[in-house]
Amino acid sequence: ALSLCLTNPTQPNPTQNFQQERIQTDQMVSKRNRDAVDEDETPPQSPVGVASVNERRRVTAKKNMAASPGLGIAPQDGSGGAFGDGRLRKKERQRAYCTEMYTLNSDFATWAAWAKNDRVPSGPVHDYEAAASQYIKTAAAIKRKYSSDSWDVLTFGTNEFGQLGQVEDILEKSRPCLVKSLHGYGVTGVACGGLHSISVTDGGTVDTWGANDDGGLGVYGISTSYAPIPVKGFIPSAYELAQNVPNANYTWRDLAGGSQRQRHFTWDVKDPNIKLESKYQEKMKSVSAGDGHCLALSNTGRVYFFGSYKDKEGKAWRDIQPKDDPREYPDDIPVVKLAPKEEENPEPGRRTKMAPRERQDWPIHVWQMPGKVTQISSGFCFNAAIVETGTGDSDSASASKPICVTW
């Protein structure tokens, strides 16, 4: 703030005059503020005239409030506690949430009692595993329905490769705009890559959109996507080095080996876009993105990678795919030169999965991590992670010691 004072040198005491003028100004401002706050207390010279002025001001204020976007969340008269757009007040929302959860828990308890006595009727839910999976999905849907936190994804910038998640006709957005296809999906995290974007939901699912030139979308066979697409295949390797992570329900060795393969798969296990049920896959809790790659961190502390890194010459590199991961490129993909001593005799007619060169078009488990990962971050062509080593028991000699790992 800047204040200027002009004085007249002919006055014998200019400071006193300035102080008197300031006092008069303050009195005028104070009076004007009182009039603006409570006009009804001002003695009107013409009651009819003042009443009409006040009425016009109330009408104008009401119109301004109606045009305000914040009024949409205010309860309307005669709404019975519900908001104007059908939403509920906080207490009613909590009551409705508890009511639906009580009904769900009662139904599940009834089903469990029948199942204990082998009286469960035939149908889509006929075993504990399917029932538990359905219960989790239903409970998550109820939580999202009545949650006070409504998370949406807003994007802005250039959209020439679909990195904004908008339609192809939109080339640029100078203001944040809603990604409509992710509305209501409970997105909890987002990250921006070079020409692609990635998001993760409270249900543990991952979506990507944008350019796929470097494999940053994690879906094989797609060049560019102007709308979010789901990423599948987050299954850990049985050869991981970390010792303090929870045991995985399923690993690639479990799903693709021996009799287990016939049990879990009725399709080509080598398909890069193999379709797996959600119960076989891990749930993600955070994501990060670099120039042409992405990382995803599961709720068990495992890291997954897809895309490619690039060196100073522009050559693409990737993390090494685990030995028990059966997915591979089709036979029409040419073989690339291998890094020294990576694989001696690759099968002809395809690119070997052990070569760390070129891009990675589907998620693979970064099995070399030395412990449970708690945080991930990505730079242009590198990554960093906070890793807990040891058993995590504070009383033991091998207590958890967070370290930073980069690659």
Side-chain angles (χ1 to χ4, degrees), residues 24-265:
Q24 294 176 357
T25 303
D26 292 342
Q27 292 176 351
M28 294 174 60
V29 172
S30 178
K31 183 177 183 303
R32 186 166 59 248
N33 291 341
R34 289 196 304 269
D35 295 341
V37 171
D38 192 0
E39 297 176 348
D40 293 336
E41 295 181 358
T42 303
Q45 296 180 355
S46 174
V48 178
V50 172
S52 61
V53 170
N54 290 341
E55 182 64 25
R56 288 198 301 269
R57 289 179 178 177
R58 281 193 288 269
V59 172
T60 303
K62 188 174 182 180
K63 291 181 179 179
N64 293 337
M65 291 178 62
S68 173
L71 193 63
I73 61 174
Q76 304 294 326
D77 295 336
S79 59
F83 290 108
D85 56 357
R87 288 180 287 180
L88 303 176
R89 295 177 183 267
K90 182 178 180 180
K91 291 184 178 179
E92 295 187 352
R93 185 171 60 245
Q94 292 176 346
R95 187 182 301 110
Y97 170 77
C98 293
T99 300
E100 290 201 22
M101 285 301 301
Y102 176 81
T103 303
L104 175 64
N105 292 334
S106 300
D107 293 343
F108 188 80
T110 303
W111 181 92
W114 280 66
K116 184 178 180 180
N117 299 324
D118 295 330
R119 299 170 59 189
V120 178
S122 60
V125 182
H126 58 275
D127 56 37
Y128 285 102
E129 187 175 10
S133 177
Q134 181 174 336
Y135 174 88
I136 293 174
K137 291 181 180 179
T138 306
I142 296 175
K143 181 180 179 180
R144 286 195 298 267
K145 180 179 178 181
Y146 295 106
S147 175
S148 60
D149 296 328
S150 179
W151 300 100
D152 282 324
V153 178
L154 305 178
T155 58
F156 53 95
T158 59
N159 193 47
E160 54 185 338
F161 296 102
Q163 58 266 44
L164 297 187
Q166 306 297 327
V167 295
E168 189 173 357
D169 296 339
I170 298 177
L171 299 180
E172 183 178 356
K173 280 288 186 179
S174 58
R175 295 182 179 181
C177 53
L178 177 69
V179 181
K180 297 181 180 179
S181 55
L182 292 178
H183 176 65
Y185 276 82
V187 176
T188 58
V190 293
C192 298
L195 294 172
H196 65 285
S197 305
I198 183 173
S199 68
V200 61
T201 68
D202 55 2
T205 59
V206 173
D207 295 274
T208 56
W209 60 96
N212 199 34
D213 296 342
D214 299 319
L217 299 188
V219 180
Y220 175 72
I222 293 179
S223 59
T224 301
S225 177
Y226 287 86
I229 53 177
V231 183
K232 304 291 185 179
F234 295 103
I235 298 178
S237 170
Y239 296 97
E240 62 183 344
L241 300 182
Q243 300 295 325
N244 61 341
V245 294
N247 294 329
N249 294 330
Y250 299 94
T251 66
W252 278 116
R253 185 169 60 182
D254 298 330
L255 299 179
S259 59
Q260 294 289 332
R261 174 178 176 178
Q262 300 298 328
R263 175 184 176 185
H264 297 289
F265 295 109

Side-chain angles (χ1 to χ4, degrees), residues 211-217 291-293 306-308 310 316 359-361:
N212 199 34
D213 296 342
D214 299 319
L217 299 188
D291 179 59
H293 72 282
F306 52 91
S308 63
K310 289 185 179 179
R359 69 188 196 182
Q360 179 64 48
D361 285 286

